[in-house]
Structure formats: C-alpha cells, structure tokens
Amino acid sequence: VSPRTTLELVAGVLAGEAPAVARAISLLEDGAPASRDILKAIHKRAGRSWIVGVTGPPGAGKSTLVDGLAASYRAMGRRVGIVAVDPSSAFSGGAVLGDRIRMQRHAGDSGVFIRSMATRGHFGGLSRAASDAADVLDAAGFDLLLLETVGVGQDEVEVMRAADCVLVVLVPGLGDDIQAIKAGLLEIADLYVLNKADREGVERLESEIAAMLSLGVGPGRRTPGMVRTIAVRGEGLERLSEGIERHRQEVIASGAAEERRRERCRFRLVDLIRERVLRWAAEETGGDDRLSAAAASVHERRADPYEAADAILGAFASGKWRDRR
Ligand SMILES: Nc1nc2c(ncn2[C@@H]2O[C@H](COP(=O)(O)OP(=O)(O)O)[C@@H](O)[C@H]2O)c(=O)[nH]1
Ligand SMILES: [Mg+2]
C-alpha cells in the first residue's frame, strides 16, 4: 500500500465505509508494512465506542446472543461492530460458516459491521489483532462493539481485556467440566448470562453462580449481575441490554471505566512487546531452524534452557539489559 492509498484508506475508515474498514482490519491483522501508519492515524480517533465482550464455552449461544443484541441496538439507532474471535473454527469451519450466514442477514445495513478472526499467529497476537480491529471500528464510528470469543484458553480470555463490559455466557447442564471454565471466567465477568433458560437446570446454575459470588469478588469490584435469556427466541435480551447499560453508567460514574481503560493500554503494550520480541527472536535470528536446533541442543542436554534462550536472544540478552538483572 503506497502512502497515498494509506491516506485514502484511513479517510475511508473515518468515513465509516465498510470496504475500507475491512481492508484496514486485514492489513493490521497481517502486520502489513502499512499497518503502522494506519494504526497511528486511527488510534487518535478512537476511544468513543463502548466495547462489550461476550465469552463462554463453545455452543453456549454467544453468537446467537450477539446477533440478538446487535438487532436490538440497531433498533435504537446505534451503529454496531462485531468481532468474533474463534481460533477453534479454523479447524472446524463451523463458526465461520455461521458467521457468514449472519453477515448475509445484515448485508446492506451499513450500521452493522461483522468480522471473524479464526487465525492465530505463531506468536500469539490474538488479543492484539482484536484490539487493533476494535480501534478501527471505533474510529469508523461504530459506537457499540461486540467482541465474541470462546472462553477456553488463556489467549481467548485475554481478548476480553479489550472490553469495557464482559458478559460470561453459561448454560444449564454442562456438568462438571464447566466448573473449571466458570472458575476461570469468574474473575472477568461483569454480567452473567444464563442462556438456554428453556432447558432444565437453570435454577441450579443460578444458585451455583450466586454461591460463588457470595464468596466475594475481590476488593473494589462490582458484584456481577445475572440475566436469564433464551437467545434463540430473543427472550431476555431487553433485560440484558438494560443490564449492560446500568453497568456502563455505574462504572463511568465511579471512574472504574477509565481505570480499566488505562489498565487495558498497559496489557496491550505488554502483549505487543511480547509478540515483537518473540517474532524478532525467531525471524531476525534465522527463523524456526535456529529455534529447532536450540531445542535439540536442550533435549540432548548439550545446553541448558537458559543458555539456549540467551543464544537466540543474542545481543538482546548480552547487552546492558542483562547485566542489570
Ligand atoms: N434451546 C436453546 N438453544 C439455543 C439458545 N441459544 C442458542 N441456542 C442454540 O445453541 C447452538 C449454539 O449457538 P451459538 O450461538 O452458535 O453458540 P456459540 O458457540 O456460543 O457462539 C445453536 O444451535 C443455537 O441455535 C437457547 O436459548 N435455547
Ligand atoms: Mg459463536
């Protein structure tokens, strides 16, 4: 992309044009050479949208909920951006197919923009790509962003750090393995959505969550609310958007929202530094071959892991930085 087209692209994004938005997100996702200039121009113009993260186990109904929420926010005249991050779908293809179907439903409505991200870089970068996409949509004037991700792995959960409000979607009757997921998601939930409330066991799920919450949510944290929904029928969506709105007003008034955004920038920096150091170590010093060779030397006990890491990090490890350690 030449400087001129980068300028045009940014102008298109700021004007809220879907093709420019799509292209900018792709360039940022790929880390294309133009991405620096794009983000530089866009970052200054972002910061106005409210970002709602939606996470939970696969099949909990996140996409159905996001769809329903998008429709209700559209009815209120809001412009809605949707980013669905699902690395597992790169293998199954299922979620992406579903996302394509819902894209068709909103086709022709310039007030909705939907983007799926199924890829994961070698060096993480999932939450980086999601944050960059959120900046683009924000600068493009989408005032409500819905960020959907499967809450299974650390990388996926980290995506939720970009959100102003996190909805954790749970369903009745998932059995014991849900306990672990719930524990991991407990710390990040601002609002619990008990979806598939048409199913048996929703009362039990509700009392389980209430019992967990009664143990306390940590100092300075607001106790998350709970909302029952039946996403397939659109039931409970009104109460859910009321809950999102109430949370928004409270955290803005208390200053917690601003504090969270400041913290978010910190995570975003750490994320970026980590990704770039890893990329630098692997690429600028000879790529994967060198990494494989180093791994072999550790395996064969010719080198210990610390010295092998030092060897790869080279100048980085041997400089002043290391002496001060
Ligand atoms: N019975 C019931 N099924 C639902 C409900 N919400 C979603 N589903 C279904 O659950 C399946 C998974 O939904 P999806 O939104 O793709 O889940 P995701 O993987 O969390 O994004 C789909 O077949 C939905 O139609 C609900 O409230 N009740
Ligand atoms: Mg989904």
Side-chain angles (χ1 to χ4, degrees), residues 59 61-64 84 86 95 99 102 148 150:
K62 298 178 295 299
S63 297
T64 314
D86 187 355
D99 290 338
R102 70 180 175 181
E148 175 190 338
V150 182

Side-chain angles (χ1 to χ4, degrees), residues 228-245:
R228 287 189 194 185
T229 57
I230 304 174
V232 271
R233 295 192 219 141
E235 285 179 29
L237 287 180
E238 206 169 308
R239 255 173 300 126
L240 179 56
S241 39
E242 281 164 16
I244 294 169
E245 187 55 24

Side-chain angles (χ1 to χ4, degrees), residues 106-119:
H106 297 285
D109 180 0
S110 63
V112 179
F113 184 94
I114 304 172
R115 173 66 176 224
S116 302
M117 293 188 167
T119 49

Side-chain angles (χ1 to χ4, degrees), residues 86-146:
D86 187 355
S88 63
S89 68
F91 303 105
S92 69
V96 172
L97 185 67
D99 290 338
R100 253 185 234 132
I101 291 165
R102 70 180 175 181
M103 273 183 233
Q104 278 161 13
R105 170 146 27 126
H106 297 285
D109 180 0
S110 63
V112 179
F113 184 94
I114 304 172
R115 173 66 176 224
S116 302
M117 293 188 167
T119 49
R120 183 206 300 271
H122 285 299
F123 311 107
L126 205 56
S127 50
R128 197 256 311 149
S131 294
D132 290 354
D135 266 1
V136 173
L137 289 167
D138 187 334
F142 292 92
D143 52 351
L144 188 95
L145 304 186
L146 295 165

